[in-house]
Amino acid sequence: MVKEWNVVVVGVGALGNAVVQNLGLIGVRRVVVVDPDVVEERNLERSVLLRGEGSIGRNKALAVAEAAGRVFPETEWVAMDREIADVGFRVVAPADVVFGCVDSELARLELAYIGTKLDTPVCDGGLGAPDYWHGRVSWFPGRGAACYGCGLTAAKRRELLTTWDSPVHACWTAEEAPVRPSTPTMAAVVGAMQVDLGLRGGEEAATFEVWLEPEPRMEKIGLRQSEACPFHTGEERLVEAAGDRVSDLLAGEAEPVLVLDWPVCVEAECLECHKRWRPRRRVGWLRRRGACPECGSRQVRDLETLTRVDRESVWASAGLAELGLPADHLHTVRQASGLSGSGR
């Protein structure tokens, strides 16, 4: 029964608000709301659940979960004020479906990785340019079918994975699109489609494109799994941490290697004042949100990244939290003989 479902909603801007409202109306059992951003004044005109008194400056996930809890008390609402990559896999793994309401290709690729890693369905939604009355909903059933990465061209997939995994790369931030009169309308339409598709599911991946102008129409596009997509390399063995140190994950294995899901920056440099420091945070987080601790500049580059740890690594004795690994995580431990390349 849908009412017994456990779902995750990633991103609660205009589209995420519409998805949350529909889930509340249906009465699903539990909704985990994930968003690291704070409410700004421009969010109020497109997001009903962010209009509460004193919401400006609060975390979006907390504000939405609190407002939804008042309107839909029969649903359990859980707020997580962080990026989805900083949410432990043990939180996401029980979900019947993950609703992606993010606004960047890199964030969608992160969701594709999580969905295939955990074999969890992802229902992704997006709004076109706000004045074009265009939206999209995509259904990705899990590891055995196409994911978001499969639909990218080889060049685009390589570009995003390079941004994700490059050892040295200047930081950047994305600009949010301006609000236009069509945004709340399209968010309501796409959000309703997204929830309907996500709760009905299916075994085949597909994208639905919808336009309201110049005349209403919808188009369905089948999606095929790409052999070149690196997220479909086979089932992963995920391990719970028996202790709070990396070495605890490597105990009792022959030639064990901890493979980090997201590269971790262990040394960074400010391009303005040239200060160097050890963030020990995900490279993706550093590029989107990192700032120099000395001068506050966002012009930061990662000098050294960590992608795996074995028993000989200087990081083997480090605490999991020291490397920025999330609590309640499921870690990938493999044999060294099954890996190519080298890590630090």
Side-chain angles (χ1 to χ4, degrees):
M1 285 183 59
V2 167
K3 287 184 178 293
E4 295 301 316
W5 278 28
N6 179 353
V7 305
V8 176
V9 179
V10 183
V12 284
L15 181 56
N17 261 247
V19 168
V20 165
Q21 290 176 68
N22 279 283
L23 291 171
L25 287 168
I26 291 170
V28 298
R29 180 177 62 83
R30 187 173 190 263
V31 180
V32 178
V33 181
V34 181
D35 198 312
D37 294 327
V38 299
V39 181
E40 301 179 31
E41 187 171 355
R42 60 184 175 178
N43 299 134
L44 303 185
E45 59 187 284
R46 61 174 115 173
S47 306
V48 172
L49 294 175
L50 294 179
R51 284 178 173 267
E53 184 177 352
S55 62
I56 294 178
R58 294 189 65 199
N59 170 259
K60 285 182 179 179
L62 293 170
V64 165
E66 183 179 293
R70 290 194 297 267
V71 182
F72 309 110
E74 294 183 359
T75 296
E76 178 187 357
W77 301 94
V78 179
M80 308 205 78
D81 57 346
R82 64 203 71 172
E83 294 185 358
I84 185 60
D86 290 319
V87 174
F89 284 0
R90 287 178 59 191
V91 176
V92 183
D96 294 284
V97 62
V98 175
F99 290 98
C101 306
V102 296
D103 57 4
S104 77
E105 290 181 309
L106 187 57
R108 287 189 170 92
L109 200 63
E110 290 172 345
L111 278 173
Y113 174 83
I114 294 170
T116 54
K117 188 89 169 182
L118 300 176
D119 199 16
T120 298
V122 174
C123 192
D124 176 67
L127 304 177
D131 51 348
Y132 289 167
W133 296 93
H134 173 219
R136 173 184 299 148
V137 178
S138 298
W139 170 249
F140 305 111
R143 187 185 298 132
C147 73
Y148 177 75
C150 293
L152 300 173
T153 65
K156 188 63 178 180
R157 186 165 54 238
R158 184 165 56 250
E159 174 191 334
L160 290 172
L161 288 173
T162 299
T163 302
W164 177 339
D165 202 18
S166 173
V168 179
H169 193 286
C171 295
W172 55 270
T173 55
E175 292 292 330
E176 186 176 354
V179 179
R180 301 293 171 83
S182 59
T183 301
T185 301
M186 284 308 301
V189 171
V190 174
M193 289 177 56
Q194 194 174 354
V195 170
D196 181 70
L197 181 60
L199 298 185
R200 282 191 294 110
E203 297 182 358
E204 296 182 359
T207 287
F208 295 83
E209 301 269 359
V210 59
W211 294 264
L212 296 187
E213 286 191 351
E215 59 183 31
R217 65 188 177 95
M218 185 169 68
E219 180 179 349
K220 179 181 178 181
I221 305 167
L223 302 175
R224 297 181 62 182
Q225 185 174 321
S226 169
E227 293 182 359
C229 181
F231 296 166
H232 302 273
T233 56
E235 293 188 10
E236 299 282 1
R237 192 170 70 86
L238 301 177
V239 180
E240 284 190 43
D244 58 3
R245 311 197 76 76
V246 174
S247 56
D248 295 322
L249 285 168
L250 304 180
E253 298 276 351
E255 296 185 274
V257 178
L258 169 64
V259 180
L260 302 181
D261 296 294
W262 323 105
V264 173
C265 178
V266 293
E267 185 175 10
E269 179 185 23
C270 175
L271 298 179
E272 296 287 339
C273 70
H274 302 291
K275 176 180 176 59
R276 293 190 177 194
W277 78 102
R278 295 185 174 274
R280 300 185 184 181
R281 297 291 301 266
R282 284 185 304 105
V283 170
W285 180 92
L286 186 69
R287 290 181 186 145
R288 287 192 285 247
R289 304 177 185 279
C292 174
E294 187 74 25
C295 70
S297 171
R298 300 294 299 274
Q299 297 301 308
V300 176
R301 65 174 177 175
D302 40 304
L303 296 179
E304 181 181 352
T305 59
L306 191 67
T307 59
R308 65 189 67 160
V309 182
D310 59 28
R311 283 178 177 154
E312 304 304 316
S313 170
V314 296
W315 299 100
S317 61
L320 297 171
E322 287 181 66
L323 292 180
L325 302 180
D328 294 322
H329 198 46
L330 299 172
H331 305 270
T332 301
V333 178
R334 298 180 184 167
Q335 299 301 310
S337 57
L339 295 170
S340 61
S342 61
R344 296 183 180 273

